[in-house]
């Protein structure tokens, strides 16, 4: 983090982090308050949907604090502060939230118990592996090492995409008509939003560094996290509501 | 923020911010505690009403902290502190809360699902656009640019007012008699409270600057936020209660 950010860039990133703290906290409370309105079989999905945004809320709070501590404003210009910005919070967050995102998607589909355990374990395991393989590359000094871990990390990613696209299609066909377009939207949103992360990872490997790249990277990760967690969560909530209604559930 | 505020002005604004933290926190807790007393179809409206004041609570906490950090009291007089006051928290807040205010109004009207999605998307989208167009003008150095964005931002504002006034009037006619005056009050309160923001925005453009204008602006925004969010929320709660009763709901 030796980039010399402009004051505008520093504030932009700072405001994005604060915005995300508010979004994640609000999303968590929304999912947990509205949990009582879905039928009991979908409540675990709502609990976990809120857990994902809650964990992200916690980490964005840490990220915000770390960003503030990493820079000092001296005479209106941004200078390196006492500590360096801790990017690892993102990986710690993903290690927890990315497997949980897979679990909430499987839970809201309400498959048989056996199928739920099998598919959730498979997708959550792959997701954890994907993040665990990405981190050594993120902190690697050598470009070759970073690229090698990117390739390794892409293997579970491709298997996840394949499972979401092909492996789940038969289970999606069994969803009630009212919920089908939303379940598909959740699958495709996952694939598209998750593509952003490996692309951004490649930035420093192809020479994109400095304050502009840093600003784009922080803002981009933030938007991707909001889409992949909060917007995805709203889709899960809508699926749970539609299916509850289709199954004749009356909220009390 | 080079205005030389008097100690009285500095404290007045500071106390207004703290007052608003208390109001927003209390309003949030009220809406969420009373949520169980309205019929299930109105609970999403109550959840979101509380989310709006919760998000405002968070941002007024940040605004208060930023105000404290922006000034130092030296020998009884107010001097610029280490950091500058971050006005962007207001825009970040509005970007989230203003679309949510539109959604809570539509939800409490309990229209058909199709109409709810259509009207909520339309009004929330316009609201987000209005805020997004206001921000570049707020931070612009040149008066011409600031005024251009004011005009651009007023376009979605006028469409919102038209939609609330004309587009919703037929849906309001279908509301139960007991709730109609309250729904109208909520519509008109929105229009009047929201007019305050574009007027204050024009202040620096017509030369109103310095400590008096700054104090009026901060206190004015604060009062407008309380009216548009907490007072508006109480109206939403009353509408939800009246309609629940009219539909024969017995709180358990």
């Amino acid at each position: 983090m030796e980039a010399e950010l402009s004051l505008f860039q520093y504030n932009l990133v700072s405001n994005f982090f604060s915005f995300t703290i508010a979004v994640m906290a609000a999303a968590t409370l929304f999912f947990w308050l509205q949990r009582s309105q879905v039928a009991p079989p979908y409540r675990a999905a709502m609990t976990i949907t809120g857990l994902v945004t809650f964990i992200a809320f916690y980490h964005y709070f840490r990220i915000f604090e770390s960003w503030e501590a990493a820079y000092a404003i001296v005479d209106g210009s941004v200078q390196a502060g006492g500590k360096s910005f801790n990017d690892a919070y993102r990986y710690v967050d993903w290690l927890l939230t990315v497997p949980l995102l897979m679990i909430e998607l499987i839970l809201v589909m309400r498959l048989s118990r056996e199928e739920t355990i099998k598919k959730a374990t498979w997708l959550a395991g792959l997701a954890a592996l994907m993040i665990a393989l990405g981190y050594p590359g993120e902190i690697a000094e050598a470009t070759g090492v970073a690229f090698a871990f990117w390739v390794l990390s892409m293997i579970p990613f491709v298997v996840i995409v394949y499972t979401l696209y092909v492996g789940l299609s038969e289970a999606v066909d069994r969803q009630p008509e009212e919920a089908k377009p939303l379940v598909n939207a959740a699958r495709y949103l996952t694939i598209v939003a998750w593509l952003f992360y490996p692309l951004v990872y490649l930035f420093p490997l192809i020479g994109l560094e400095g304050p502009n790249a840093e600003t784009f990277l922080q803002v981009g990760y933030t938007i991707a996290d909001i889409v992949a967690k909060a917007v995805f969560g709203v889709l899960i909530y809508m699926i749970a509501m539609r299916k509850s209604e289709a199954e004749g559930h009356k909220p009390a």
Side-chain angles (χ1 to χ4, degrees), chain A:
Chain A
M1 293 296 299
E2 294 135 49
E4 284 177 30
L5 293 158
S6 72
L7 189 59
F8 174 80
Q9 289 173 325
Y10 169 77
N11 284 331
L12 183 75
V13 172
S14 190
N15 287 329
F16 255 95
F17 289 161
S18 175
F19 173 75
T20 311
I21 293 172
V23 168
M24 295 299 181
T28 304
L29 291 162
F30 177 80
F31 298 136
W32 288 345
L33 283 163
Q34 289 303 103
R35 177 179 167 279
S36 64
Q37 303 305 296
V38 307
Y42 302 108
R43 294 203 184 142
M46 293 303 295
T47 301
I48 292 178
T49 302
L51 279 184
V52 166
T53 48
F54 173 76
I55 294 167
F57 156 73
Y58 167 76
H59 285 115
Y60 270 93
F61 186 84
R62 289 266 180 238
I63 286 170
F64 180 88
E65 297 287 312
S66 176
W67 184 258
E68 296 281 306
Y71 297 99
I73 313 296
V74 182
D75 296 330
S77 77
V78 183
Q79 303 195 354
K83 295 186 167 188
S84 66
F85 179 62
N86 184 3
D87 244 335
Y89 286 130
R90 294 199 179 280
Y91 279 86
V92 178
D93 180 84
W94 296 334
L95 193 60
L96 284 167
T97 54
V98 176
L100 288 174
L101 284 167
M102 293 289 90
I103 293 172
E104 71 185 67
L105 179 63
I106 296 302
L107 282 179
V108 88
M109 293 180 72
R110 202 183 172 184
L111 311 172
S112 70
R113 171 172 290 165
E114 203 179 77
E115 222 180 337
T116 299
I117 294 176
K118 208 176 119 191
K119 288 216 155 63
T121 311
W122 174 245
L123 283 168
L126 285 169
L129 184 67
M130 171 178 82
I131 304 301
L133 287 172
Y135 186 63
E138 177 82 33
I139 57 167
E141 297 279 322
T143 306
V145 177
F147 187 70
F149 277 102
W150 182 84
V151 173
L152 286 175
S153 177
M154 283 305 277
I155 298 169
F157 179 73
V158 169
V159 182
I160 289 171
V161 170
Y162 179 83
T163 307
L164 287 179
Y165 199 77
V166 180
L168 281 188
S169 62
E170 183 258 341
V172 172
D173 284 340
R174 281 180 277 132
Q175 297 292 306
E177 277 312 314
E178 302 90 322
K180 221 175 272 184
L182 288 168
V183 174
N184 282 329
R187 288 158 77 206
Y188 301 144
L189 182 138
T190 301
I191 295 171
V192 173
W194 288 21
L195 266 176
F196 184 83
Y197 301 94
L199 286 178
V200 168
Y201 182 102
L202 289 176
F203 270 27
L205 304 189
I206 55 169
L208 284 172
E209 282 186 278
N212 290 339
E214 176 68 18
T215 305
F216 179 84
L217 186 147
Q218 297 301 339
V219 170
Y221 272 152
T222 302
I223 294 172
D225 276 348
I226 289 174
V227 173
K229 293 173 169 109
V231 177
F232 181 77
V234 172
L235 283 176
I236 297 292
Y237 165 68
M238 287 170 74
I239 294 166
M241 285 293 274
R242 294 272 168 103
K243 291 182 74 179
S244 299
E245 261 176 57
E247 291 160 15
H249 172 73
K250 297 247 178 291

